[in-house]
Amino acid sequence: ILLGIALLFLGVAVVISYYMSKKAMTPITKAFSRQREFVADASHELRTPLSVMLSSINAMEMTAEWKKEDYSYKLLFNLKNEVKRMTQMVGDLLTLARSDLETAEQVNERFDFRPFAEKTMESVQTLADSKQINLFFEASESLIVYGDSQKFTQLLYILLDNAIKYTPNGGNVSLFLAADEKDLMMKVQDTGIGIDAKDQQQIFDRFYRTDKSRTRQIGGHGLGLAIAKWIVESYKGTIRVSSELGKGSTFTIKIPVYKSKDY
Ligand code: ADP
């Protein structure tokens, strides 16, 4: 009888604590969800005024006769850079907010990743040239994969952009791509400033940037790798970094992608 009563009490206690925790959790969960929706809506709404600002600045730049040493030209130049930076940040925030809301659709199309990779290399070439950085590209014969070409391209762009940003003038940045029946492998290697072991896991967190004094000079807002991680994980892949301060970093990505045998 005693055991029965004890079990009854235990059962009641479990039921009460379950309902209490549920009651306590619901408003918190709701608040988080409202916050995510707010970030997504706000980022979306901010894009329009930002693009109006950018096109107005471009128009101002074209219509007036500017001399590079003019104070007003310098102000306009700063304004343009800041608007561009904010546009990028708002776009990144929107991507992450949508990933939180899980409204982003998983696209799976069969495509050849090579032209996308080549285009991405072309788009970062100017940035590399401005720092006399040598870009190397090596890829396996076939890069036919299943997945989202836009997301995979965005992923590659984030890694290449970082590799160039965090590599001093005259360094090297290499991209290796390979695909087999199961996986797409991406490796981006640089001879840059490197990442301290204590930071290597945190760099994938939102807004995390390593030692502010070293990276402050280099533009960025700490969202790129969070987006990269989200893309990779949404395809059940892995992203790893190996790095040594002052020597360079290597980011390796493996994404399971089914490659059709009959291609
Ligand atoms: P951002 O580059 O905009 O600051 P990321 O999320 O892409 O944001 O990167 C987070 C941080 O990780 C960077 O601020 C930088 O400190 C570090 N990092 C990323 N890639 C590299 C790299 N290739 N070499 C050295 N540090 C890097």
Side-chain angles (χ1 to χ4, degrees):
I1 289 173
L2 273 178
L3 187 68
I5 292 171
L7 281 175
L8 193 70
F9 269 112
L10 192 69
V12 170
V14 168
V15 170
I16 290 174
S17 63
Y18 171 74
Y19 276 106
M20 279 179 67
S21 68
K22 219 177 160 200
K23 235 182 155 184
M25 279 301 291
T26 313
I28 297 172
T29 321
K30 269 192 188 155
F32 272 129
S33 152
R34 267 203 302 272
Q35 194 190 12
R36 284 179 193 135
E37 274 167 28
F38 172 75
V39 176
D41 290 347
S43 326
H44 186 73
E45 293 304 315
L46 282 168
R47 289 202 306 184
T48 316
L50 279 171
S51 78
V52 172
M53 278 158 83
L54 195 59
S55 48
S56 305
I57 294 170
N58 283 337
M60 272 171 82
E61 223 175 8
M62 308 252 280
T63 46
E65 286 271 312
W66 298 99
K67 283 198 198 89
K68 285 227 163 95
E69 57 281 4
D70 283 353
Y71 182 57
S72 43
Y73 181 74
K74 282 181 189 146
L75 290 180
L76 190 72
F77 183 79
N78 289 346
L79 194 62
K80 187 173 175 175
N81 277 346
E82 288 306 305
V83 170
K84 273 188 181 166
R85 211 162 70 88
M86 205 163 159
T87 307
Q88 171 76 38
M89 196 194 298
V90 162
D92 285 353
L93 271 175
L94 184 60
T95 306
L96 285 169
R98 281 183 178 154
S99 77
D100 285 340
L101 288 170
E102 284 160 9
T103 50
E105 253 178 59
Q106 175 87 273
V107 177
N108 271 312
E109 59 195 354
R110 191 172 76 157
F111 68 100
D112 183 356
F113 192 43
R114 184 181 276 272
F116 291 93
E118 283 169 356
K119 262 226 153 90
T120 314
M121 286 295 272
E122 267 171 42
S123 69
V124 295
Q125 186 72 54
T126 334
L127 185 60
D129 287 347
S130 70
K131 298 177 74 182
Q132 295 93 45
I133 286 175
N134 308 300
L135 288 182
F136 298 97
F137 178 38
E138 218 180 286
S140 62
E141 188 71 8
S142 166
L143 286 175
I144 308 289
V145 292
Y146 266 91
D148 185 337
S149 56
Q150 271 187 23
K151 293 242 176 67
F152 290 6
T153 307
Q154 187 180 8
L155 181 60
L156 192 56
Y157 183 85
I158 292 169
L159 296 184
L160 285 171
D161 185 54
N162 275 350
I164 297 169
K165 265 192 332 198
Y166 299 109
T167 296
N169 289 11
N172 296 334
V173 168
S174 314
L175 166 65
F176 304 97
L177 289 177
D180 60 21
E181 299 297 320
K182 285 191 299 194
D183 302 301
L184 168 67
M185 267 114 16
M186 297 185 197
K187 195 154 105 176
V188 176
Q189 204 165 33
D190 67 59
T191 57
I193 60 173
I195 305 158
D196 203 330
K198 71 170 171 44
D199 293 316
Q200 286 179 15
Q201 283 319 304
Q202 278 144 289
I203 53 171
F204 298 99
D205 294 345
R206 293 173 192 193
F207 294 110
Y208 189 85
R209 305 198 74 209
T210 61
D211 185 5
K212 297 277 185 295
S213 59
R214 284 194 313 132
T215 49
R216 201 187 305 137
Q217 310 296 333
I218 307 166
H221 43 263
L223 290 175
L225 287 179
I227 294 180
K229 186 168 177 250
W230 164 65
I231 295 175
V232 171
E233 288 182 350
S234 68
Y235 280 89
K236 302 204 167 26
T238 54
I239 178 164
R240 308 220 179 290
V241 59
S242 74
S243 184
E244 207 179 318
L245 265 188
K247 292 236 166 98
S249 313
T250 304
F251 285 82
T252 312
I253 285 170
K254 204 166 163 180
I255 303 177
V257 277
Y258 170 68
K259 198 176 87 171
S260 176
K261 282 197 184 79
D262 56 356
Y263 186 82

